Structure formats: C-alpha cells, structure tokens
Amino acid sequence: VEELGVEPTIGRLLYVHNFIDGKDTHSIEFFFEITNAEKYIDCDKLARTHSRELAEIAWVNPSDNIQIKPEGLSQDFKDGTIFSNETKIIRG
C-alpha cells in the first residue's frame, strides 16, 4: 500500500519460487493473484508515502520484449498460462 497507494485484494497462490544461491542464502517468494487489478491502472496519481522506493511501474503484454524474473513465471506469462488450477513451484 505504501509504495503504490492501493490496498491489494489477494486471490489464489500462483507460484512459489524456491531459491538457494549455493552459499548462505535461501529465499522463498510467493506470487499471488491480485483480484482488484483495475485499481492499479492510475496508481501513479494516488497519494503514496514510499513512492521513492519504486524504480518503474509498467503494464506489459505477453508479446512485449521484457525480462521477468523468475524465468518460469516469465515463460508462463509469455505463453499465457500464468493462471492455472495449480500452484506452480519454481526452483532457481
């Protein structure tokens, strides 16, 4: 909320990204469906307290030449298969 000025409505868990860097870092990221995406369309016009923490906000299409991390999510986005009936596990 602080960065964008919008309270997200959390939907289904879509992805779990499990990352071990081979040393001391083990990260787990959770990617959820946001069911009120329409509220983010003009979020740059909303009052925000931590907007300086954002480098960029962009709406992208699967056909756009953009790199999204993690790679498994990126490929599903390009293929149009992000939304499925299962939570996907990504190891990286």
Side-chain angles (χ1 to χ4, degrees), residues 16-22 24-29 70 90-92:
V16 177
H17 179 220
N18 188 13
F19 176 79
I20 300 172
D21 75 355
D24 298 328
T25 302
H26 182 185
S27 300
I28 301 174
E29 299 172 314
I90 302 170
R91 290 176 175 74

Side-chain angles (χ1 to χ4, degrees), residues 12-15 33 76 80-88:
R12 297 176 298 132
L13 176 62
L14 301 174
Y15 292 86
E33 175 185 22
D76 286 353
T81 59
I82 279 185
F83 297 101
S84 69
N85 293 328
E86 62 181 88
T87 299
K88 298 178 183 178

Side-chain angles (χ1 to χ4, degrees), residues 24-44:
D24 298 328
T25 302
H26 182 185
S27 300
I28 301 174
E29 299 172 314
F30 299 92
F31 295 84
F32 290 88
E33 175 185 22
I34 302 299
T35 60
N36 63 334
E38 72 283 352
K39 292 189 176 184
Y40 289 83
I41 292 173
D42 291 322
C43 65
D44 57 329

